[in-house]
């Protein structure tokens, strides 16, 4: 489903990804681990199309479509979702308005009618409840004054509502206490399906206790240094990245 | 046919004409006018004769009078009017307004009156006109009122306007302006407000109009517990310029002032905020907040921000925050990554920016009317 081949990318003229190759078949969950600064977020941003992240070589395709040629919103409409490591505050824009706008924008891109307001409200309420997100949070501006944990739950809520084909979660576990980690993991597990692929970026192994991956990859110096089964996560955790 | 006017009116006119003849129009090399160059040919283009005022009023009866009727004695004299209108002119545009003292309205809200319906004034300018319009507003002790002004028009005209306002002890005036003048018009507005103890002057200026507008606000907080909130949102494009120049004088202890000005500037539009807060000796316990924020949507757009604090008292809390820049790139990307097309994402961010300023508007209906105008303005891009 997600095919990344020999990807090279630079930020501010500095090469960060140096020939990264990674294939995530549909129905699978792959984890990417790596020390701070190894290029994990850069990979996520390059795939999502963040301006300023320049692809210098290689390819990335979703369901056979070259996503690198698309605008960020086209990638989203094609089914790509990025849960941000640092979700962005959008002052003055209500979280509810934001959710409605995003859902209907993606429907419009697929040639569908806007979702009826009442259905929209119901599905947002239902998905929010499952993630322990209260009405007060829905009533605030996007990520404004949200705690670290609230921001991460809000990312998972967006993922649940948008129902992407391929989701990239960038350190969605960081800053979460044990209970919140469990809630978020349950939210992700509920979305696992034979038609969907996940790329879980994490610095620690603990999230992978809850979301058991099919494959684990270790990122080092902008490329995949090692790949293995779920055991690799434990090994990396025990021995540190130096041994990888 | 002509009924004679009160002698103090004739005196004021003569004084105003003399003062304006001596000073002339403010020039761009004068203090406070550097960012706002008035077209030098204003007087020759428009100054020949003052056009009659096109104003309509909707609201409670018996509170709004034509100034001319007050001057001729057609309505019973308002005992506060002469004193208020005879205050020394602050600047040549004020003097010019005195020279042409004739058209306008007096609003008289008696002691203790609490109006739950707003007083709505609509002023319309027409091509080629020179308008010298005037408002005198008096709220007696404990009175509460909302005045909404709509300014609009078509073609090229100059409206030089003077508003003088007294907010009595414990009174509360909400003063909303929709400045939607023709984008070929020049609009110079001087507002002078005197707030008594425990009184509140609460203003919001919603600006989308005029080629050049100057909103000059002078507030005197005269006695303990007086408060002024003067906020505004300006949406400008083309080569429009909007200038908000304020002087708030804290003249007694324990007074509060707050200003929150937002600007969205597209193409070669220019925004100006000059905010002076003066805390006079003895005005201890003053709280004065100033915030100005501008979003520049093009390389040619410009914002000039100049806060000025003059503090001669103790235990004073004064804060000023100013931001100015392009739309936040990370927020734009965040919205696009959720599938919102770029143009729509930009509009949503701007709406959010506007909403933060409009949050200062207490009345939900007024706020909704402004939000709607923001949407209209954005979709006209
Ligand atoms: N916007 C940027 N400008 C310059 N350097 C950046 C930027 N973003 C990331 N980098 C650099 O790229 C490298 C990889 O960063 P990142 O992808 O955030 O790593 P990780 O997510 O694995 O911690 C780091 O050396 C970081 O300093
Ligand atoms: Mg990172």
């Amino acid at each position: 489903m997600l095919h990344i081949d020999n990807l090279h990318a630079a930020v501010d003229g500095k090469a960060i990804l140096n020939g990264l190759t990674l294939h995530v078949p549909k129905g699978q969950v792959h984890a990417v681990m790596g020390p701070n600064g190894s290029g994990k977020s850069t990979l996520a941003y390059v795939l999502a199309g963040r301006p300023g992240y320049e692809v210098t070589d290689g390819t990335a395709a979703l369901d056979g479509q070259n996503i690198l040629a698309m605008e960020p919103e086209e990638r989203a409409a094609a089914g790509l979702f990025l849960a941000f490591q640092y979700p962005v505050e959008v002052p003055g824009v209500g979280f509810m308005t934001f959710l409605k706008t995003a859902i209907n924008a993606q429907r419009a891109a697929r040639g569908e009618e806007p979702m009826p307001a009442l259905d929209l409200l119901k599905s947002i309420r239902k998905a929010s409840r499952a993630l322990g997100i209260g009405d007060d949070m829905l009533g605030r501006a996007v990520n404004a004054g949200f705690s670290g944990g609230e921001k991460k739950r809000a990312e998972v809520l967006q993922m649940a509502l948008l129902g992407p084909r391929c989701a990239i979660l960038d350190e969605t576990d960081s800053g979460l206490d044990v209970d919140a980690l469990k809630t978020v993991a349950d939210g992700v597990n509920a979305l696992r399906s034979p038609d969907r692929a996940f790329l879980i970026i994490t610095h620690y192994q603990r999230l992978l206790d809850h979301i058991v991956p099919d494959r684990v990859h270790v990122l080092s110096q902008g490329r995949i240094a090692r790949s293995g089964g779920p055991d690799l996560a434990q090994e990396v955790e025990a021995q540190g990245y130096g041994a990888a | 046919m002509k009924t004679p006017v009160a002698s103090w009116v004739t005196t004021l006119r003569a004084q105003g004409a003399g003062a304006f003849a001596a000073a002339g129009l403010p020039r761009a090399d004068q203090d406070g006018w550097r960012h706002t160059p008035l077209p030098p040919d204003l007087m020759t283009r428009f100054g020949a004769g003052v056009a009659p005022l096109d104003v309509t009023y909707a609201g409670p009866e018996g509170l709004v009078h034509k100034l001319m009727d007050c001057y001729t004695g057609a309505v019973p004299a308002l005992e506060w009017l002469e004193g208020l209108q005879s205050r020394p002119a602050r600047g040549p545009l004020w003097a010019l307004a005195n020279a042409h003292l004739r058209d306008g309205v007096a609003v008289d809200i008696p002691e203790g009156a609490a109006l739950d319906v707003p007083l709505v004034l609509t002023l319309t300018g027409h091509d080629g006109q020179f308008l010298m319009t005037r408002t005198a507003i008096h709220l007696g002790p404990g009175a509460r009122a909302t005045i909404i002004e709509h300014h609009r028009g078509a073609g090229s005209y100059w409206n030089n306007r003077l508003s003088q306002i007294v907010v009595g002890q414990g009174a509360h005036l909400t003063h909303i302006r929709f400045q939607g003048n023709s984008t070929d018009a020049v609009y110079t507005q001087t507002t002078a407000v005197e707030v008594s103890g425990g009184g509140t002057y609460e203003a919001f200026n919603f600006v989308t109009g005029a080629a050049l507008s100057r909103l000059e606000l002078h507030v005197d907080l005269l006695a303990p517990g007086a408060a002024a909130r003067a906020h505004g949102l300006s949406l400008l494009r083309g080569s429009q310029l909007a200038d908000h120049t304020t002087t708030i004088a804290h003249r007694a202890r324990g007074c509060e002032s707050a200003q929150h000005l937002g600007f969205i500037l597209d193409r070669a539009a220019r925004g100006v905020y000059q905010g002076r807060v003066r805390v006079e000796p003895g005005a201890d316990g003053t709280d004065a907040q100033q915030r100005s924020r501008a979003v520049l949507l093009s390389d040619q757009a410009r914002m000039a921000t100049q806060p000025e604090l003059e503090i001669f008292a103790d235990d004073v809390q004064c804060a000023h925050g100013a931001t100015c820049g392009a739309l936040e790139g990370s927020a734009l990307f965040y919205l696009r990554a959720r599938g919102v097309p770029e143009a729509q994402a930009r509009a949503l961010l701007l709406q959010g920016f506007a909403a933060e300023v409009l949050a200062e508007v207490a009345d939900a209906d007024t706020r909704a009317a402004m939000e709607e105008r923001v949407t209209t303005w954005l979709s006209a891009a």
Side-chain angles (χ1 to χ4, degrees):
Chain A
M1 170 168 282
L2 179 65
H3 274 250
I4 307 167
D5 282 295
N6 188 35
L7 190 63
H8 289 70
V11 183
D12 285 341
K14 180 179 158 198
I16 313 266
L17 300 182
N18 303 299
L20 186 143
T21 296
L22 182 64
H23 297 175
V24 188
K26 69 178 184 179
Q28 292 203 359
V29 174
H30 285 210
V32 171
M33 301 181 74
N36 277 332
S38 58
K40 302 186 298 295
S41 291
T42 302
L43 171 63
Y45 286 144
V46 166
L47 294 175
R50 183 168 195 145
Y53 287 70
E54 191 200 349
V55 175
T56 51
D57 200 4
T59 59
L62 180 66
D63 290 325
Q65 277 186 287
N66 172 17
I67 55 170
L68 298 181
M70 299 179 184
E71 297 294 336
E73 54 270 33
E74 294 169 338
R75 301 179 196 205
L80 189 79
F81 180 88
L82 168 61
F84 283 57
Q85 181 176 3
Y86 303 108
V88 181
E89 280 191 27
V90 189
V93 177
F95 191 33
M96 200 73 170
T97 304
F98 166 77
L99 292 172
K100 289 181 191 170
T101 307
I103 290 167
N104 283 329
Q106 294 205 8
R107 290 173 71 96
R110 291 192 298 263
E112 296 167 17
E113 293 291 306
M115 196 190 276
L118 202 62
D119 296 357
L120 203 56
L121 194 67
K122 275 187 194 157
S123 60
I124 292 172
R125 281 266 155 73
K126 184 159 172 262
S128 303
R129 218 170 296 128
L131 288 160
I133 291 172
D135 283 354
D136 61 318
M137 228 174 108
L138 291 171
R140 275 183 267 159
V142 181
N143 292 318
F146 289 17
S147 70
E150 284 175 332
K151 284 182 184 168
K152 297 306 173 85
R153 268 182 287 171
E155 292 293 292
V156 177
L157 173 65
Q158 291 166 52
M159 178 170 69
L161 289 167
L162 293 169
R165 312 250 312 130
C166 174
I168 303 163
L169 281 75
D170 190 1
E171 299 210 23
T172 300
D173 51 338
S174 62
L176 294 184
D177 62 28
V178 181
D179 290 342
L181 188 72
K182 184 82 174 50
T183 310
V184 163
D186 289 347
V188 173
N189 285 327
L191 293 173
R192 285 178 83 151
S193 93
D195 295 327
R196 202 167 263 153
F198 284 90
L199 192 62
I200 309 241
I201 294 171
T202 181
H203 187 65
Y204 303 103
Q205 171 259 337
R206 60 175 196 157
L207 181 65
L208 304 180
D209 289 341
H210 300 283
I211 308 171
V212 180
D214 296 291
R215 299 283 291 166
V216 174
H217 310 275
V218 177
L219 185 62
S220 171
Q221 292 173 1
R223 60 168 73 89
I224 303 296
R226 270 184 87 184
S227 296
D231 294 350
L232 181 56
Q234 264 102 31
E235 191 185 316
V236 166
E237 182 84 357
Q239 298 175 4
Y241 288 106
Chain B
M1 212 27 225
K2 267 193 170 174
T3 323
V5 299
S7 63
W8 63 268
V9 174
T10 322
T11 309
L12 262 185
R13 285 176 182 161
Q15 284 172 350
F20 183 75
L25 273 184
R27 291 184 317 269
D29 61 358
Q30 283 170 337
D31 257 6
W33 289 91
R34 273 196 310 124
H35 303 290
T36 308
L38 289 176
D41 63 348
L42 266 185
M43 286 307 288
T44 47
R45 248 161 82 207
F46 298 108
V50 175
L53 174 62
D54 177 354
V55 62
T56 61
Y57 168 74
E61 294 300 315
L63 305 172
V64 175
H65 311 281
K66 285 187 177 151
L67 278 177
M68 223 23 211
D69 290 344
C70 301
Y71 302 152
T72 58
V75 298
L78 301 168
E79 99 282 345
W80 49 267
L81 189 64
E82 178 184 347
L84 180 62
Q85 295 210 303
S86 306
R87 301 276 198 272
R90 302 190 199 189
L93 292 176
W94 187 323
L96 180 64
N98 278 349
H100 297 280
L101 186 57
R102 186 187 70 187
D103 275 334
V105 296
V107 180
D108 182 38
I109 314 289
E111 175 168 359
L115 306 179
D116 42 15
V117 183
L119 291 80
V120 184
L121 291 162
T122 303
L123 287 91
T124 308
H126 302 276
D127 193 42
Q129 283 187 336
F130 178 40
L131 296 158
M132 290 282 137
T133 65
R134 185 99 176 203
T135 307
I137 300 169
H138 188 275
L139 269 71
R144 296 184 72 85
T146 296
I147 296 177
I148 300 176
E149 294 177 26
H150 292 279
H151 297 274
R152 54 179 208 188
S156 169
Y157 53 90
W158 174 24
N159 188 355
N160 181 50
R161 209 170 140 63
L162 176 60
S163 305
Q164 289 170 280
I165 299 171
V166 169
V167 178
Q169 198 158 3
H172 189 123
L173 175 63
T174 302
H175 192 191
I176 307 290
R177 279 199 196 101
F178 290 90
Q179 197 273 83
N181 280 297
S182 155
T183 50
D184 291 323
V186 173
Y187 179 80
T188 48
Q189 157 82 60
T190 308
T191 304
V193 189
E194 301 167 10
V195 188
S196 305
T200 299
Y201 175 68
E202 186 163 344
F204 197 99
N205 285 289
F206 186 89
V207 177
T208 51
L212 180 149
S213 65
R214 161 95 163 189
L215 291 174
E216 189 174 315
L217 174 68
H218 302 266
V219 180
D220 287 292
L221 300 172
L222 295 173
R229 293 191 275 278
H231 309 304
L233 178 64
S234 300
L235 314 178
L236 308 171
R237 58 166 59 100
S239 56
Q240 284 183 291
L241 182 154
D243 172 331
H244 291 254
T245 294
T246 62
T247 301
I248 297 190
H250 286 251
R251 299 176 59 178
R253 60 171 57 244
C255 294
E256 278 178 31
S257 67
Q259 300 175 72
H260 186 177
L261 278 301
F263 295 82
I264 297 178
L265 305 173
D266 201 357
R267 299 185 210 149
R270 279 161 298 161
V272 179
Y273 172 58
Q274 309 182 101
R276 177 187 301 177
V277 171
R278 192 181 154 81
V279 183
E280 301 201 340
D284 302 341
T286 286
D287 186 334
Q289 309 291 328
Q290 286 172 279
R291 218 174 146 201
S292 75
R293 306 192 303 148
V295 181
L296 310 182
L297 300 181
S298 104
D299 292 344
Q300 286 102 55
R302 293 278 177 277
M303 178 73 207
T305 305
Q306 212 170 316
E308 214 177 309
L309 285 172
E310 298 171 356
I311 301 176
F312 303 99
D314 301 320
D315 180 25
V316 166
Q317 296 216 30
C318 291
H320 175 263
T323 58
C324 176
L327 267 188
E328 188 60 54
S330 56
L332 186 61
F333 172 63
Y334 189 66
L335 292 175
R336 295 179 72 193
R338 295 296 175 255
V340 183
E342 183 172 1
Q344 196 187 349
R346 282 183 185 281
L348 193 58
L349 290 179
L350 291 173
Q351 220 137 20
F353 174 87
E356 285 213 303
V357 185
L358 295 181
E360 307 284 3
V361 179
D363 179 63
D365 290 344
T366 307
R367 197 168 54 242
M370 290 178 179
E371 278 164 0
E372 206 176 302
R373 278 161 200 253
V374 171
T375 307
T376 307
W377 188 86
L378 288 172
S379 64

